[in-house]
Amino acid sequence: MTTDINTHTISVLVDNESGVLARVIGLFSGRGYNIESLTVAEVDPAEKLSRITLVTSGTPMVIEQIKAQLGRLVPVRRVHDLTVEGPHVSRELALVKVVGTGEKRVEALRIADIFRANVVDSSNESFVFEIVGKTDKLNAFINLMEPLGLVDVARTGAAAIARGSESI
Amino acid sequence: MAQEPMLGAKIVLKALVDQGVDVIFGYPGGAVLPIYDELFQQNHIKHVLVRHEQAAVHAAEGYARSTGKVGVVLVTSGPGATNAVTGLTDAMLDSVPVVCLTGQVPTHLIGTDGFQEADTTGITRQCTKHNYLVKSPNDLARVMHEAFYVASTGRPGPVVIDLPKDVLMTKGEYMPPTRIKHKSYKPQVKGDLKRIEEAVALLANAKKPIIYAGGGVVNSGPAACQLLTNFARMSGFPVTLTLMGLGAYPGNDKQFLGMLGMHGTYEANMAMHDCDVMLCIGARFDDRVTGLLSAFSPNSKKIHIDIDPSSINKNVAVDVAVVGDVAHVIEDMTKVWKSAQIRPDQDALAAWWAQITEWRAVECLKFVQDGDVIKPQYAIQRLYELTKDRETYITTEVGQHQMWAAQHYRFDKPNHWMTSGGLGTMGYGFPSAVGVQMAHPDALVVDISGEASFMMNMQELATAVQYRLPVKIFILNNRYMGMVRQWQELLHGSRYSESYSEALPDFVKLAEAFGAVGMRVEKADQLDDAIRAAIATNGPVLMDICVSQTENCYPMIPSGKPHNEMLLGPVADGEQAIDAEGQILV
Ligand SMILES: Cc1cc2nc3c(=O)[nH]c(=O)nc-3n(C[C@H](O)[C@H](O)[C@H](O)COP(=O)(O)OP(=O)(O)OC[C@H]3O[C@@H](n4cnc5c(N)ncnc54)[C@H](O)[C@@H]3O)c2cc1C
Ligand SMILES: Cc1ncc(C[n+]2csc(CCOP(=O)(O)OP(=O)(O)O)c2C)c(N)n1
Ligand SMILES: [Mg+2]
């Protein structure tokens, strides 16, 4: 097996009971695995199921361990490695606050337009942009806003799902 | 099947009875008084009052490992629960099925820093297989039954149920255990037949095979041990066992190479290093076993049978992995083997055994008992000779004495050897022996102990005396934390920093103060009579066996070294023998 470190997006379907998120996070901190991002929300209120999307990185052996360790948690129903199982879509939302006047303000708006970011709040000196897309796109947008008065960023982390008709 | 609602505490008791529990180990306190009140009013379950909650968990572990059943613990909130944490962690690392009931402050006080409140589910999340906080008496029965199911199936482990006092004192519905189909927890028991065929194909062509089996075989049950034994005899392959696996294969069998690993035998480790096909069954490639990972058995194809997918490819990458229960998988392997009429290369196998015989000739466990001073190895050997013909259970503490016990006591049956392997918890052995004796009142139960370890849970003498448990404590008293001293000799220029057992009590008087019998043995020729006298004594006996203070445990794979670089005896300069990378390892 290689020792290359790769990023993987993993979907975990769990019973939405108290402590389940702490179990998942405790697993990562306790065993020294990386979490690049983690999102969680209930997706099936009737069955009380939540879906966690985890972005993590490691060697193939570590990624296999992470999946096996997740699968071992009692309230975990399913673990899917979207990165290896086939094509998937991954989206993240960011709220980006930019403060400035004059040329910089105009430039920020122009770039937001190119990235199809929406203005969700504005004052005389500031905008809050809402942008949705792949993590890379968000990174690019935020980098461009840096010199234009970027003061605040809030990101959701990636939510991801497999393409095609298969369900988790 | 509607039943009258009943008090939460009653539900707890009823669920225990319906789970077939006959004994629990516990210690009372405010938060669990309702359960103690119910215990008082019934006759089905015997409660053993320990003298420290850690001991309750170890006793439950001893009970569980010696019976294959779930061990049950009952402790109060706050300090009761935190005292149990070491025991729970021990059970987690050694895969022992334990259900631990902890009291909790009433639900409306949770989070207020209430009196004797601790975040028990938070604290025990990483040291249990699963845990529950029960918030309604209507959930109690389901959670209790589920906890037994989770603790005892798949890879066994400890489960905590945190019980707020108001839940215990409110009425709820009881439901009997049903065949549980858990929504998410479904251990895989049957192995994939494709993988099993691949494994057999590898084994069929092996020229230098070895079977490396561990605690998972014991967990799988006596039938699994028998299947393993049959498979080994059928194939003619050599067998080595981990510390946790001792007893899974007959210790006196000619195909048995002894324990492997850091203090394993020369022949077992050399065979592991040189083999061409390794069949790992219910063992987890622990660092005490593999030595230097990058040089671990470099030329072998590896097969791994384990019920826990996370054990596979964790430390060592294997060629064929079979996820499943040992008994099921070996049964299928045997069928495949027989139907394909496999006959391994007999010439190659004979050459391999000839090589093993040469390694055996090194006699790596040899020692010389001369003079009066008792060699610890000799003490174990005599204990073995004088107890092997009766039903004997051995527990140990942690240290040199534990390793000598593993090397020199021979276990022919599973479930007769309880030791703390993964966590290495000093203080495990004596309470564990209490649990074993509760389960097997007529058997001989011996805790092979060190003087330092014994003092970590010696308060349990009161428990042994109270319940008239004839446990024998066999202290190999070298007046040192011997294992620490050995490492200090090897790695730290023999600077014995804090490893001398200063100010030891008079163990004979200590025993007597508790109402037990104490004996001191100072000379080698007194040993046999003393052991016989202890066995004949109908009550707990503490034997203070004064052994050589300088003896070290060999052979040894120094940390950071591969299997084929064992130390067979003392070296002049340990710091030279172990490189910097090895010195940072524990
Ligand atoms: C001072 C000291 C020195 C030590 N030196 C040594 C030494 O020299 N040699 C040595 O071997 N150990 C030694 N140990 C113990 C060591 O730390 C480990 O505890 C031990 O090696 C682990 O044993 P195991 O691999 O059998 O695994 P266990 O911890 O017993 O784990 C069992 C494995 O089997 C699996 N399993 C469980 N149930 C089943 C089932 N029904 N079916 C299939 N699989 C199942 C589990 O998932 C797990 O992977 C030492 C400990 C101490 C304290
Ligand atoms: C609770 C705990 N604390 C510390 C250790 C580290 N440790 C391992 S062996 C040992 C010495 C044990 O001494 P003793 O019980 O006298 O056994 P001996 O090695 O002398 O046979 C110590 C301190 C441990 N394993 N467990
Ligand atoms: Mg000692």
Side-chain angles (χ1 to χ4, degrees):
Chain A
M1 271 198 235
T2 75
T3 50
D4 293 350
I5 292 181
N6 284 310
T7 298
H8 286 244
T9 303
I10 297 172
S11 277
V12 192
L13 202 63
V14 301
D15 288 318
N16 185 13
E17 56 185 46
S18 78
V20 64
L21 192 57
R23 273 178 225 287
V24 171
I25 292 173
L27 176 70
F28 276 71
S29 62
R31 293 186 184 263
Y33 306 140
N34 288 320
I35 301 186
E36 287 175 14
S37 83
L38 182 148
T39 66
V40 56
E42 192 167 77
V43 291
D44 184 343
E47 279 273 297
K48 299 198 80 188
L49 291 177
S50 288
R51 180 168 177 143
I52 298 174
T53 306
L54 262 159
V55 181
T56 181
S57 60
T59 61
M61 213 156 149
V62 168
I63 297 290
E64 286 308 308
Q65 254 306 294
I66 289 174
K67 289 187 275 185
Q69 291 290 351
L70 284 167
R72 202 152 89 107
L73 299 177
V74 170
V76 167
R77 294 218 184 175
R78 278 192 278 287
V79 179
H80 283 271
D81 186 340
L82 298 179
T83 302
V84 302
E85 284 176 18
H88 64 280
V89 278
S90 167
R91 289 293 179 272
E92 184 177 356
L93 181 147
L95 297 170
V96 178
K97 185 178 283 185
V98 177
V99 176
T101 51
E103 262 309 298
K104 286 190 171 171
R105 190 170 158 84
V106 176
E107 178 66 4
L109 256 189
R110 203 179 63 78
I111 292 173
D113 197 39
I114 295 169
F115 276 78
R116 293 195 208 148
N118 298 321
V119 177
V120 291
D121 176 69
S122 67
S123 70
N124 286 342
E125 298 192 328
S126 69
F127 288 120
V128 175
F129 299 111
E130 170 204 75
I131 177 168
V132 176
K134 289 190 189 169
T135 296
D136 292 351
K137 172 177 161 180
L138 269 57
N139 290 345
F141 180 71
I142 291 164
N143 282 341
L144 287 171
M145 288 297 146
E146 189 82 43
L148 303 177
L150 179 81
V151 294
D152 246 350
V153 181
R155 297 173 69 149
T156 58
I161 206 160
R163 288 185 187 273
S165 55
E166 290 288 303
S167 87
I168 189 170
Chain B
M1 221 199 332
Q3 283 179 324
E4 285 289 295
M6 59 173 101
L7 218 55
K10 245 195 174 60
I11 293 178
V12 170
L13 263 278
K14 187 153 174 52
L16 290 177
V17 172
D18 285 353
Q19 286 293 340
V21 175
D22 51 7
V23 52
I24 66 177
F25 303 91
Y27 205 93
V32 284
L33 283 182
I35 300 181
Y36 274 88
D37 199 41
E38 291 298 331
L39 270 173
F40 190 82
Q41 302 175 46
Q42 55 84 51
N43 297 314
H44 301 289
I45 293 178
K46 185 164 174 74
H47 177 275
V48 175
L49 177 71
V50 294
R51 300 309 196 263
H52 187 295
E53 290 87 348
Q54 182 193 348
V57 188
H58 294 326
E61 288 184 272
Y63 178 91
R65 275 202 93 86
S66 67
T67 60
K69 289 166 47 175
V70 176
V72 183
V73 177
L74 171 61
V75 299
T76 193
S77 66
T82 55
N83 269 351
V85 167
T86 300
L88 293 169
T89 313
D90 192 272
M92 183 71 177
L93 272 132
D94 285 345
S95 306
V96 189
V98 166
V99 168
C100 176
L101 310 173
T102 58
Q104 184 53 280
V105 300
T107 40
H108 69 276
L109 286 181
I110 289 178
T112 64
D113 297 330
F115 176 63
Q116 296 199 321
E117 180 184 359
D119 175 7
T120 301
T121 48
I123 290 170
T124 61
R125 195 166 287 131
Q126 307 305 330
C127 64
T128 52
K129 181 171 174 184
H130 195 50
N131 63 18
Y132 302 86
L133 171 63
V134 183
K135 289 183 178 155
S136 154
N138 290 322
D139 294 337
L140 258 177
R142 178 186 56 79
V143 169
M144 290 284 299
H145 298 316
E146 194 177 300
F148 276 81
Y149 176 67
V150 170
S152 59
T153 55
R155 178 180 187 165
V159 176
V160 161
I161 310 176
D162 205 21
L163 299 165
K165 193 168 182 182
D166 55 329
V167 173
L168 295 174
M169 302 190 72
T170 318
K171 285 188 172 176
E173 299 279 345
Y174 180 74
M175 63 168 206
T178 45
R179 277 193 63 83
I180 296 187
K181 264 199 92 181
H182 197 274
K183 288 174 294 187
S184 51
Y185 171 78
K186 299 181 182 97
Q188 182 175 339
V189 179
K190 280 289 262 187
D192 181 341
L193 208 57
K194 270 242 153 52
R195 298 287 96 78
I196 292 175
E197 285 165 0
E198 285 171 30
V200 171
L202 273 182
L203 291 167
N205 291 312
K207 297 197 175 342
K208 298 190 283 177
I210 189 156
I211 299 174
Y212 143 48
V217 186
V218 180
N219 282 140
S220 184
C225 300
Q226 192 55 54
L227 285 161
L228 166 67
T229 307
N230 296 348
F231 186 84
R233 299 241 168 92
M234 178 179 74
S235 60
F237 293 173
V239 180
T240 178
L241 295 171
T242 66
L243 182 75
M244 300 312 289
L246 295 179
Y249 188 85
N252 284 307
D253 190 89
K254 63 183 191 322
Q255 277 170 256
F256 183 52
L257 307 189
M259 181 173 82
L260 80 165
M262 182 173 271
H263 289 292
T265 65
Y266 182 68
E267 51 271 32
N269 286 326
M270 291 301 287
M272 286 290 282
H273 187 269
D274 283 8
C275 69
D276 68 347
V277 179
M278 175 189 300
L279 173 59
C280 168
I281 310 177
R284 57 185 174 84
F285 295 94
D286 183 81
D287 55 53
R288 277 325 69 167
V289 160
T290 59
L292 180 66
L293 264 183
S294 57
F296 174 69
S297 193
N299 303 314
S300 61
K301 293 275 184 210
K302 299 176 184 74
I303 303 162
H304 189 181
I305 302 169
D306 202 294
I307 204 163
D308 179 356
S310 80
S311 282
I312 288 166
N313 292 330
K314 179 168 62 181
N315 305 325
V316 171
V318 296
D319 301 277
V320 178
V322 188
V323 175
D325 169 59
V326 169
H328 288 82
V329 175
I330 305 191
E331 194 173 10
D332 287 345
M333 268 179 70
T334 309
K335 279 188 199 146
V336 172
W337 182 284
K338 283 186 174 159
S339 71
Q341 298 188 342
I342 285 169
R343 207 176 126 77
D345 182 339
Q346 295 302 304
D347 292 344
L349 212 51
W352 180 226
W353 273 109
Q355 171 65 74
I356 290 171
T357 306
E358 266 176 46
W359 288 325
R360 272 181 170 159
V362 167
E363 295 190 63
C364 66
L365 297 179
K366 202 170 65 188
F367 62 91
V368 183
Q369 171 65 53
D370 49 8
D372 282 344
V373 181
I374 302 170
K375 283 268 167 69
Q377 302 93 317
Y378 177 72
I380 307 254
Q381 203 181 60
R382 293 317 303 156
L383 180 70
Y384 172 64
E385 290 300 332
L386 296 170
T387 59
K388 66 180 180 188
D389 294 329
R390 52 174 76 225
E391 183 74 351
T392 306
Y393 293 82
I394 302 287
T395 72
T396 78
E397 310 290 339
V398 171
Q400 291 180 322
H401 62 275
Q402 176 189 27
M403 293 298 112
W404 283 315
Q407 292 173 338
H408 295 276
Y409 204 98
R410 310 221 142 217
F411 298 92
D412 277 328
K413 284 179 287 189
N415 305 100
H416 286 64
W417 161 247
M418 341 296 133
T419 194
S420 169
L423 196 63
T425 312
M426 291 169 71
Y428 165 88
F430 181 30
S432 173
V434 165
V436 175
Q437 191 82 74
M438 280 305 297
H440 309 278
D442 300 325
L444 175 64
V445 183
V446 183
D447 168 31
I448 297 179
S449 182
E451 80 294 339
S453 291
F454 178 66
M455 289 177 71
M456 286 225 177
N457 267 322
M458 62 182 182
Q459 76 286 344
E460 296 310 313
L461 272 170
T463 311
V465 169
Q466 177 179 345
Y467 297 93
R468 301 201 177 88
L469 301 175
V471 172
K472 315 300 175 216
I473 305 144
F474 198 73
I475 300 184
L476 297 182
N477 185 351
N478 53 5
R479 308 191 81 88
Y480 273 102
M481 299 172 193
M483 188 56 90
V484 174
R485 178 182 47 72
Q486 179 165 349
W487 280 57
Q488 288 172 333
E489 281 175 23
L490 209 53
L491 290 174
H492 301 283
S494 295
R495 290 178 294 281
Y496 298 147
S497 180
E498 306 293 329
S499 56
Y500 183 67
S501 286
E502 192 68 63
L504 282 176
D506 177 331
F507 285 114
V508 175
K509 284 192 187 148
L510 181 84
E512 285 164 3
F514 275 97
V517 172
M519 295 180 177
R520 180 163 301 114
V521 188
E522 290 172 310
K523 290 190 178 138
D525 61 8
Q526 301 169 340
L527 202 51
D528 282 18
D529 285 345
I531 293 172
R532 285 196 193 95
I535 296 173
T537 305
N538 186 20
V541 180
L542 204 177
M543 302 180 74
D544 180 13
I545 309 192
C546 307
V547 297
S548 157
Q549 294 189 23
T550 52
E551 194 68 16
N552 280 341
C553 187
Y554 291 103
M556 176 178 190
I557 306 177
S559 33
K561 293 288 182 187
H563 279 159
N564 60 347
E565 292 185 36
M566 290 200 92
L567 301 178
L568 291 171
V571 283
D573 186 355
E575 277 165 289
Q576 284 293 311
I578 300 176
D579 56 19
E581 223 173 302
Q583 293 196 23
I584 59 171
L585 300 173
V586 289

